[in-house]
Amino acid sequence: MRYSETPIGHGRKTPAVDRRWLRRSCLLAILAMGSICGCESGNENGGMAGSYFLDQSKDLHALGRVALVEIDNTSSYPQVSSEMTQALYLETQKRQMFGLVLVRQDDPAWRSLQENLDNLQAMRQLVALQETLRSNGLLLGTITQYQPYPHMVVGLRLRLLDLTDGQLIWGVEQIWDSADKTIQKRIRKYYEQQLRSGHAPLGEELVVISSLNFCKFVAYEVASTLQKPKLK
């Protein structure tokens, strides 16, 4: 496992687990309710359109450290899991909101987390998860769709859970289609920002040709939704 230098929060109490928050249907229900308190508009937060949820009552900095579980993959391209996970790891670190522990697929904890998180046994083990992962949060998800060049498509479903109470803090469910005109405009904006920072790929077209660069673009947009929109 890899660790950042951000320390784990100390002295946090672990209240009784609210079992409702760990059901698989919870994220889908929240994402479908755009008017629910705490749900932010994608256009207000880094330009990403689509469905995501951010609990405004929670301070993500208070988590201290989060375990990022290597993203599961239902597509026919297994290598995309590693590329997407690494891109999300780096982009999230840039936000400096919390430290990260990376749980790879070859870690014995990975399969257990994927298979048991939504059942009662996993709910009773929140405290054990905190101790095992040395984290107060759990970030995990699935690549729901992937297509390579010439029609690059990435579909993601992600969620962030607070291990101290089992509550859902943040979630994303979105598809990035390189043929979509809106996505193309956002890629252009992303490329210009990367160019100014000195970290741009060789050309804008490489974002939709290279799976790694497209994953970096997706991770950039996903990480932007972890922060509350700036007041204008």
Side-chain angles (χ1 to χ4, degrees), residues 12-25:
R12 302 189 64 184
K13 296 181 180 180
T14 305
V17 175
D18 183 350
R19 296 182 177 181
R20 294 170 298 175
W21 287 98
L22 287 182
R23 295 186 185 278
R24 188 179 301 275
S25 60

Side-chain angles (χ1 to χ4, degrees), residues 98-189:
F98 40 71
L100 284 173
V101 178
L102 191 54
V103 183
R104 290 291 189 184
Q105 290 192 13
D106 57 0
D107 191 306
W110 186 88
R111 179 56 60 187
S112 178
L113 287 168
Q114 294 291 342
E115 293 178 348
N116 298 320
L117 185 66
D118 291 328
N119 61 33
L120 294 177
Q121 180 183 9
M123 295 180 206
R124 292 194 297 266
Q125 293 180 345
L126 287 176
V127 175
L129 281 174
Q130 279 184 274
E131 295 175 352
T132 301
L133 301 174
R134 291 190 282 175
S135 304
N136 291 318
L138 185 65
L139 174 55
L140 75 172
T142 302
I143 295 173
T144 59
Q145 185 177 349
Y146 177 76
Q147 289 181 220
Y149 179 80
H151 186 183
M152 193 80 73
V153 177
V154 170
L156 273 182
R157 184 186 299 123
L158 299 168
R159 57 182 169 172
L160 174 61
L161 299 176
D162 187 338
L163 290 178
T164 65
D165 57 16
Q167 290 191 2
L168 176 71
I169 305 175
W170 167 89
V172 166
E173 185 163 5
Q174 172 77 322
I175 293 176
W176 287 260
D177 187 334
S178 62
D180 186 281
K181 297 295 184 183
T182 302
I183 295 292
Q184 291 172 6
K185 290 179 181 178
R186 287 177 5 217
I187 288 175
R188 190 172 301 112
K189 181 179 178 181

Side-chain angles (χ1 to χ4, degrees), residues 80-93:
V80 179
S81 289
S82 179
E83 292 180 355
M84 191 71 252
T85 302
Q86 187 64 23
L88 184 59
Y89 178 84
L90 294 175
E91 284 295 336
T92 304
Q93 278 194 321

